[in-house]
């Protein structure tokens, strides 16, 4: 089969002799390739740090999740003021949060559904801004409104509450759920 000539080495151990046949070229090629690969790998991930190692990737994902879901406000001791936000950027953030987490129960336009109408002038748990933040933060678990404190950062709760305040309050969206609670027209 083999083209190569069998080369017999000239030692002899108790009558046992060895051939000196080279490894197949493809095998040697593969072996050399793994060595080169290891060197490149070492440089890329460990020495220059250009690539993210699995541990880096893990930390990145963790940081991203932390940003999205963490309790509190990340930085130790960071204080978020519970005050109405009115800038377009903050309201746009609030809209995103609402569409992702709240519209399934409160409707796209705040008209209500499982949850009460947020676009009327009646509020079960108080219609002033701080009460709205408070309802979102602590929820009304026995009525099907969960506490969002473990899920959304305070900042995000303030953003979504500002969105409700600025875009839904007293807009009377079509197909609105019947008003519930007490009238609130502002301070
Ligand atoms: C699973 C359904 C559900 C989801 C999701 C939900 N809610 Fe509610 N929400 C309710 C229900 C039910 C109530 C009414 C509680 C009650 O009757 O006391 C409520 C009440 C409220 C109130 C008080 C309304 C009032 O009249 O005082 C606000 C404000 C509110 N939700 C905001 C939000 C926000 C913001 C989100 C998303 C972060 C959200 N809700 C997600 C079901 C939901």
């Amino acid at each position: 089969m083999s083209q190569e000539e069998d080369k017999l080495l000239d030692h002899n151990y108790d009558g046992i002799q060895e051939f000196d046949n080279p490894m197949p070229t493809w095998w040697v090629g593969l072996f050399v390739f793994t060595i080169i690969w290891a060197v490149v790998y070492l440089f890329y991930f460990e020495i220059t740090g250009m690539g993210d190692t699995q541990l880096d990737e893990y930390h990145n994902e963790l940081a991203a999740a932390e940003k999205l879901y963490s309790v509190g406000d990340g930085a130790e001791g960071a204080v978020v003021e519970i005050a109405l936000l009115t800038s377009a950027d903050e309201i746009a953030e609030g809209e995103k949060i609402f569409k992702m987490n709240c519209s399934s129960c409160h409707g796209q336009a705040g008209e209500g559904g499982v949850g009460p109408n947020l676009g009327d002038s009646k509020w079960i748990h108080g219609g002033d801004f701080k009460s709205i933040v408070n309802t979102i933060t602590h929820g009304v678990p026995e009525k099907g409104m969960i506490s969002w404190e473990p899920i959304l950062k305070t900042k995000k709760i303030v953003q979504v509450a500002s969105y409700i305040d600025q875009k839904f309050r007293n807009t009377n969206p079509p197909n609105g759920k019947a008003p519930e609670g007490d009238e609130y027209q502002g301070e």
Side-chain angles (χ1 to χ4, degrees):
M1 284 271 288
S2 166
Q3 240 73 340
E4 329 231 356
E5 247 176 69
D6 291 340
K7 219 191 291 170
L8 199 59
L9 295 177
D10 57 6
H11 52 236
N12 182 331
Y13 301 109
D14 298 334
I16 298 169
Q17 288 184 281
E18 276 186 287
F19 285 127
D20 178 21
N21 291 342
M23 304 295 286
T25 322
W26 66 263
W27 193 96
V28 176
L30 202 64
F31 179 61
V32 170
F33 176 72
T34 60
I35 294 173
I36 295 171
W37 183 265
V39 172
V40 171
Y41 191 97
L42 195 71
F43 266 91
Y44 188 69
F45 287 109
E46 300 297 339
I47 297 178
T48 64
M50 267 153 51
D52 285 345
T53 60
Q54 287 193 351
L55 192 62
D56 293 337
E57 284 182 7
Y58 168 74
H59 286 309
N60 291 347
E61 279 184 32
L62 207 63
E66 183 92 359
K67 227 170 124 195
L68 206 59
Y69 299 114
S70 89
V71 183
D73 295 286
E76 195 84 22
V79 176
V80 171
E81 207 191 338
I82 309 296
L84 180 66
L85 302 165
T86 51
S87 87
D89 283 353
E90 304 280 17
I91 301 297
E93 279 306 308
E95 178 171 10
K96 269 191 237 157
I97 298 162
F98 187 86
K99 297 235 154 95
M100 206 185 317
N101 302 292
C102 325
S103 56
S104 51
C105 289
H106 290 283
Q108 288 288 327
E111 72 275 14
V114 174
N117 192 330
L118 301 176
D120 58 18
S121 56
K122 297 227 159 133
W123 299 85
I124 307 169
H125 300 284
D128 60 291
F129 185 72
K130 293 218 161 125
S131 297
I132 295 175
V133 169
N134 192 49
T135 312
I136 301 168
T137 305
H138 301 295
V140 193
E142 66 279 10
K143 294 286 183 59
M145 166 76 179
I146 65 164
S147 157
W148 289 90
E149 198 173 23
I151 301 164
L152 298 173
K153 285 185 179 189
T154 312
K155 173 85 184 169
K156 289 185 185 292
I157 291 179
V158 172
Q159 285 169 332
V160 74
S162 300
Y163 173 68
I164 292 170
D165 187 286
Q166 298 287 293
K167 298 292 176 182
F168 293 157
R169 185 193 280 288
N170 302 344
T171 54
N172 298 316
N175 309 317
K177 197 174 173 188
E180 296 162 86
D182 301 324
E183 181 78 13
Y184 180 85
Q185 278 301 347
E187 273 123 17

